[in-house]
Amino acid sequence: MAQVTLIEAVTLALAYEMDHDAAVIVLGEDVGINGGVFRATVGLLEKFGPERVIDMPLDETTIAGVTVGMAAQGMKPVAESQFEGFMYPMLDQIASHAARLRNRTRGRMHVPAVFRAPWGGGIRAPEHHSEANEAIFTNIPGLRVVLPSSPGRAYGLLLAAIRDPDPVIFFEPKRIYRQYKEEVPDDGEALPLDICFVLRDGNDVTLVTWGAQVKETLEAADALADSGISAEVIDVATLKPLDFDTIHESVRKTGRCVIVHEAPRTAGFGAEIAARLAEHAMYDLVAPVQRVTGYDTHIPLFRLEMKYLPSVQRIVAAAQQTLAVS
């Protein structure tokens, strides 16, 4: 069984599905000859040819429109936006057409497309290259929004996304693209969408997160354990639709919750989780829900970038604050 990084797991999943389903097409800027800006599609052009690995113009609107057209006519396109911040021109096609076509045609047509994008900060990139605006897409009916946090989950969730009959936004946390390796069997076995993954059991506080922040959250759980605090860690993985039941079950046990994400605080997806906890778990909570997030500003350039992102220290402090309430 191969030890692979998260980006290599993405490549494996794309190659497996293209090998087993002739309807799967990869398209985007530099995905062919160059193998993608992060090399997610390296080797696919040589294996599958230019009719299935298509280098597109530097025009995200056209990429999204072609993707919708292909999907509506029976193909399964996987479109890459080089960075999540480049997806804004795609929003019209995604929100107005990809997400609506099944409803508009009363089920006669659908859009089995995946829109991939490297997501988040932490790589010292310039403006528009470090966005974490997943909440924008969770607000669009008709879309799934998926954000894996490990090589194994990237492989299994991408397979599931490509096989889904409706459009999926698939964000890949680029800060951990090559951070570590794990064993990933290239067996074509998909992971279920629409569920949270409980990565660590605990009894004192629930830590809820997704994407690259899973790493810091697990490290915070280790630090809390050194103080005798048992933290349960939940990787949301599929933000839309949200598996709230898993989060609620954990909070029912611990009575406390800290939500961690690197997107800006106001109207970030953590606010939706906190609102649902207020609606459905008010009598289970023994302390207010805490959020550890990015700030309501553009992510700064590299000198201050890591101060913007949630740190282990901030997560631990938030957990201790909830635990101080009796």
Side-chain angles (χ1 to χ4, degrees), residues 6 33 62 92 97-98 169 182 186 208 219 226 266-267 269 272 287 299 304:
L6 194 152
I33 294 173
T62 296
D92 183 21
H97 301 296
I169 307 298
E182 68 180 17
D186 188 14
V208 179
E219 290 175 359
D226 291 340
T266 298
F269 193 69
E272 171 64 24
I299 185 168
L304 296 174

Side-chain angles (χ1 to χ4, degrees), residues 79 81-84 87 115-119 170-172 177:
S81 176
Q82 285 191 339
F83 292 89
E84 197 273 350
M87 291 187 76
F115 296 88
R116 293 181 44 248
W119 167 95
F170 195 87
F171 289 133
E172 299 159 11
Y177 260 159

Side-chain angles (χ1 to χ4, degrees), residues 13 35 42 50 58-59 92 119 125 129 141 148 158 164 166 203 234 240 243 253 256 293 309 311 319:
V42 68
L58 302 182
D59 182 352
D92 183 21
W119 167 95
H129 294 67
L158 183 53
D164 194 273
D166 292 302
N203 298 306
I234 295 177
K240 175 78 174 292
D243 171 20
K253 175 175 60 173
R256 295 172 169 84
T293 70
L309 300 176
S311 64

Side-chain angles (χ1 to χ4, degrees), residues 17-298:
E17 209 61 10
M18 293 180 77
D19 202 32
H20 290 79
D21 188 344
V24 179
I25 306 290
V26 169
L27 68 155
E29 298 165 0
D30 297 323
V31 298
I33 294 173
N34 287 340
V37 66
F38 288 100
R39 302 299 181 262
T41 54
V42 68
L44 298 184
L45 176 65
E46 292 78 8
K47 185 171 183 180
F48 299 104
E51 292 187 353
R52 296 187 64 199
V53 182
I54 305 171
D55 276 322
M56 295 291 289
L58 302 182
D59 182 352
E60 285 78 13
T61 303
T62 296
I63 293 170
V66 168
T67 298
V68 173
M70 284 182 169
Q73 296 303 312
M75 295 181 177
K76 298 179 181 178
V78 181
E80 178 183 299
S81 176
Q82 285 191 339
F83 292 89
E84 197 273 350
F86 297 173
M87 291 187 76
Y88 301 124
M90 292 179 158
L91 267 172
D92 183 21
Q93 292 290 340
I94 292 173
S96 299
H97 301 296
R100 293 174 182 264
L101 198 58
R102 180 184 287 278
N103 185 69
R104 180 182 297 150
T105 64
R106 297 301 184 260
R108 289 183 292 107
M109 300 178 72
H110 60 113
V111 181
V114 178
F115 296 88
R116 293 181 44 248
W119 167 95
I123 65 164
R124 299 189 168 189
E127 187 180 13
H128 285 308
H129 294 67
S130 302
E131 317 286 279
N133 285 336
E134 64 273 17
I136 292 173
F137 295 89
T138 64
N139 194 242
I140 300 173
L143 295 181
R144 271 187 168 81
V145 180
V146 180
L147 226 164
S149 62
S150 72
R153 286 188 286 283
Y155 178 85
L157 292 173
L158 183 53
L159 288 175
I162 297 171
R163 296 168 188 174
D164 194 273
D166 292 302
V168 178
I169 307 298
F170 195 87
F171 289 133
E172 299 159 11
K174 57 184 177 287
R175 178 161 62 90
I176 58 172
Y177 260 159
R178 294 179 171 85
Q179 194 170 73
Y180 66 94
K181 293 184 176 184
E182 68 180 17
E183 290 187 349
V184 177
D186 188 14
D187 56 6
E189 185 172 342
L191 288 172
L193 297 170
D194 309 346
I195 71 163
C196 296
F197 296 91
V198 179
L199 304 185
R200 179 174 179 144
D201 291 328
N203 298 306
D204 297 326
V205 60
T206 299
L207 307 180
V208 179
T209 190
W210 52 90
Q213 252 54 56
V214 167
K215 176 180 180 293
E216 282 77 18
T217 303
L218 286 169
E219 290 175 359
D222 289 337
L224 290 166
D226 291 340
S227 303
I229 299 167
S230 173
E232 185 146 298
V233 178
I234 295 177
D235 176 8
V236 175
T238 300
L239 279 69
K240 175 78 174 292
L242 175 66
D243 171 20
F244 179 71
D245 288 345
T246 295
I247 298 171
H248 189 185
E249 181 180 351
S250 178
V251 171
R252 190 179 291 120
K253 175 175 60 173
T254 66
R256 295 172 169 84
C257 185
V258 176
I259 304 165
V260 183
H261 63 73
E262 69 178 73
R265 184 179 184 85
T266 298
F269 193 69
E272 171 64 24
I273 297 173
R276 294 200 196 186
L277 288 170
E279 289 172 347
H280 302 289
M282 179 65 73
Y283 296 110
D284 300 309
L285 288 164
V286 296
V289 173
Q290 295 289 326
R291 287 181 290 160
V292 182
T293 70
Y295 301 99
D296 287 339
T297 182
H298 301 294

